[in-house]
Amino acid sequence: MSLSVEYMGLKLRNPIIIGSSGLSKNIEGVKKLYENGAGAIVLKSLFEEQIIAEATKGVLQVPNNHTEMYDYIKNYTRENSIDDYLDLIKKSKESTTIPIIASINCVSNTEWISFAKKIQNSGADALELNISFLPSDDSINSKSIEKKYFEIVKRVKKQISIPLSLKMSYFSAGLSNLIKELSWTNNIDSFILFNRFYSPDIDIDTFKFRAANTFSQSSELTTSLRWIALLSNKINKPLIPSTGIHTAEDVIKQILVGAQAVQIVSSIYKNGAEQIPVILEDLKKWMQKNNYNSLNDFRGKLHYQNTNNEQFERIQFMKYYGGIE
Ligand SMILES: Cc1cc2nc3c(=O)[nH]c(=O)nc-3n(C[C@H](O)[C@H](O)[C@H](O)COP(=O)(O)O)c2cc1C
């Protein structure tokens, strides 16, 4: 039996990609994930603000009302230098035999982009861009937001020849069309669906904001499950779900609807890197029980067109809500 996966021309020993997070912020973390069987690792993201701040040697144009934010960026940049990041890529490649994917968290089509070449030169097997716009500015319409995706990936792709993946949010009124048209540009080699935003909550005793649920739960799997199911047969690039994948059962569901592989973060924070072999063992047991020898044997078995049903569409909402007294 083989769990291997072809992903953007890279060979993964299994479908478990550890998503970008503090788990992969240093070489100790990377080695631990590798030794426990990760199929590939996405390194912690660099932020475009870090790249710009270092390029301008900390001399940033500070708008009057944003001093606190810029102070934070300066301090963060001092403690997390981009040279350290390039070094992490090199060390990760030297210490492992699996694909190492660098990550940049960005929102603008500006000068930080030329830095992508340095990431490639440091040995990264691929680059993942986390471009997640929160459509919170009421002066910007959806077309202008979507246009930014096209502009950023086009410019980044010109800088590099390694595969480029796009991690995005589900905040788009025309999500299917957006992903389809992005896939047609051939500037993107895979889509990661979706980024999970930091969400503030409120403590009603102290009247202060606090972080809500830093880590996901399995129940959050359903959003990416829906979109992978709806899109996997329409998009000619691999789709990788992110958010809420905690167990082998979650991995199996995602592959059944057409995912090429999966990204996991919270489950590893909660259970340690030892969760990777647990998931892989359970996955193998399920495949054995169902007489599957490879992931291709069941990938997409339940995607939208294959099942010819409307599980993820409006008619189901009517049946579901109509049936609840
Ligand atoms: C502590 C923490 C740090 C994260 N840092 C990053 C990051 O630097 N870049 C990024 O693209 N995503 C980051 N993420 C998001 C994860 O990659 C992932 O998309 C999200 O946690 C959903 O997956 P999960 O349900 O498996 O946790 C982070 C998540 C956590 C919990």
Side-chain angles (χ1 to χ4, degrees), residues 111-310:
E111 288 324 305
W112 70 266
I113 287 177
S114 56
F115 181 76
K117 212 177 266 166
K118 289 197 178 166
I119 287 202
Q120 171 167 305
N121 293 343
S122 299
D125 293 292
L127 174 61
E128 182 175 297
L129 295 183
N130 180 341
I131 314 182
S132 293
F133 300 110
L134 193 66
S136 54
D137 186 336
D138 60 15
S139 66
I140 301 179
N141 67 23
S142 54
K143 267 286 154 220
S144 342
I145 293 177
E146 293 184 357
K147 202 166 146 230
K148 282 196 193 174
Y149 281 111
F150 290 89
E151 290 170 351
I152 296 172
V153 295
K154 186 174 170 194
R155 280 193 66 194
V156 173
K157 191 68 180 176
K158 277 201 182 132
Q159 298 287 328
I160 57 171
S161 53
I162 52 175
L164 183 66
S165 57
L166 174 63
K167 183 176 184 180
M168 56 195 296
S169 83
Y170 47 79
F171 292 120
S172 166
L175 189 61
S176 297
N177 178 266
L178 172 64
I179 295 177
K180 187 178 72 178
E181 293 200 354
L182 281 166
S183 76
W184 284 349
T185 66
N186 277 332
N187 289 326
I188 299 167
D189 300 287
S190 77
F191 292 88
I192 318 302
L193 308 178
F194 296 101
N195 183 36
R196 183 172 184 267
F197 279 96
Y198 159 79
S199 298
D201 192 4
I202 291 173
D203 182 327
I204 62 162
D205 293 322
T206 62
F207 297 89
K208 290 201 167 128
F209 287 103
R210 62 178 179 205
N213 304 328
T214 307
F215 302 122
S216 72
Q217 322 209 3
S218 271
S219 56
E220 291 177 48
L221 168 96
T222 48
T223 301
S224 59
L225 193 69
R226 170 194 306 280
W227 288 102
I228 302 276
L230 290 173
L231 295 174
S232 61
N233 212 28
K234 295 185 189 160
I235 305 297
N236 61 357
K237 303 286 178 201
L239 303 180
I240 307 288
S242 164
T243 299
I245 298 153
H246 288 246
T247 62
E249 186 176 342
D250 299 337
V251 177
I252 293 162
K253 289 176 188 174
Q254 292 285 7
I255 294 177
L256 279 171
V257 294
Q260 189 71 5
V262 300
Q263 284 198 5
I264 301 185
V265 169
S266 291
S267 180
I268 310 298
Y269 269 106
K270 287 183 182 172
N271 305 300
E274 298 75 19
Q275 177 72 354
I276 303 170
V278 171
I279 294 177
L280 292 173
E281 262 322 294
D282 289 349
L283 172 60
K284 276 193 225 156
K285 277 188 206 148
W286 181 85
M287 285 171 66
Q288 244 152 17
K289 198 174 87 184
N290 289 283
N291 289 322
Y292 293 135
N293 288 316
S294 75
L295 303 181
N296 281 342
D297 289 349
F298 64 99
R299 182 179 287 110
K301 195 176 160 68
L302 294 182
H303 73 56
Y304 185 60
Q305 274 95 344
N306 264 1
T307 48
N308 201 21
N309 68 32
E310 304 97 357

